[in-house]
């Protein structure tokens, strides 16, 4: 990641350090300050410039998970998912200039265009 960034290229990832904070910190209720410190060390303080948060309600999450094989996080109960979602919401509210919160309920093709436009606008592309 660092060489690509240093060469001026954009780097896109489907997960970020914020997923660790939301799932481990909020979902598993581990110490957020400690998790943030561990993650900061692991990423050498290279936090994402832009985080795209695709926001859906719990009912939509459950419907989507029924269509695929699930991992241990995805098999958690509703209380866990509410904490994770609340965590993502709180993280986004704390750093609104870093986060792009998008309603992820539209159909895939429409959602792709919404995301593309929003990211291009935010990055000035």
């Amino acid at each position: 990641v660092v060489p690509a960034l240093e060469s001026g290229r954009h780097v896109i990832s489907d997960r970020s350090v914020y997923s660790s904070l939301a799932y481990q910190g909020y979902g598993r209720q581990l110490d957020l300050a400690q998790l943030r410190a561990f993650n900061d060390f692991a990423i050498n303080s290279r936090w994402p410039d832009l985080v795209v948060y695709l926001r859906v309600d719990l009912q939509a999450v459950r419907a989507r998970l029924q269509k695929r094989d699930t991992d241990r996080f995805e098999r958690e109960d509703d209380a866990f998912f509410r904490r994770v979602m609340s965590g993502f919401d709180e993280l986004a509210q704390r750093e609104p200039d870093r986060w792009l919160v998008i309603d992820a309920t539209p159909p895939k093709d429409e959602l792709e265009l919404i995301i593309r436009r929003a990211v291009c606008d935010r990055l000035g592309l």
Side-chain angles (χ1 to χ4, degrees):
V1 170
V2 173
L5 292 173
E6 288 176 350
S7 73
R9 294 176 26 216
H10 294 286
V11 176
I12 299 172
S13 171
D14 67 340
R15 301 275 181 190
S16 80
V17 63
Y18 291 106
S19 295
S20 295
L21 296 177
Y23 280 87
Q24 300 290 340
Y26 290 90
R28 295 264 190 251
Q29 299 176 309
L30 300 177
D31 184 271
L32 276 168
Q34 192 173 46
L35 283 170
R36 189 176 286 274
F38 288 153
N39 280 285
D40 187 64
F41 172 78
I43 62 173
N44 198 24
S45 299
R46 296 296 302 240
W47 291 77
D49 294 322
L50 177 63
V51 179
V52 178
Y53 172 31
L54 303 178
R55 180 82 167 76
V56 294
D57 63 26
L58 185 56
Q59 184 178 4
V61 170
R62 286 290 178 208
R64 290 176 184 183
L65 289 176
Q66 288 178 353
K67 297 177 185 177
R68 60 187 216 167
D69 292 332
T70 56
D71 64 24
R72 63 189 165 91
F73 281 118
E74 294 166 336
R75 289 189 293 271
E76 287 287 348
D77 62 16
D78 288 354
F80 173 83
F81 279 105
R82 281 190 207 94
R83 290 191 304 270
V84 170
M85 293 166 72
S86 176
F88 274 120
D89 289 341
E90 187 175 314
L91 292 166
Q93 288 170 2
R94 285 184 182 176
E95 298 179 285
D97 293 339
R98 184 184 307 264
W99 287 71
L100 184 58
V101 181
I102 296 177
D103 173 14
T105 56
K108 271 194 268 187
D109 292 340
E110 185 180 334
L111 181 59
E112 177 188 355
L113 293 174
I114 292 168
I115 295 167
R116 182 185 308 266
R117 271 187 242 129
V119 168
C120 287
D121 288 348
R122 181 65 70 91
L123 297 178
L125 301 174

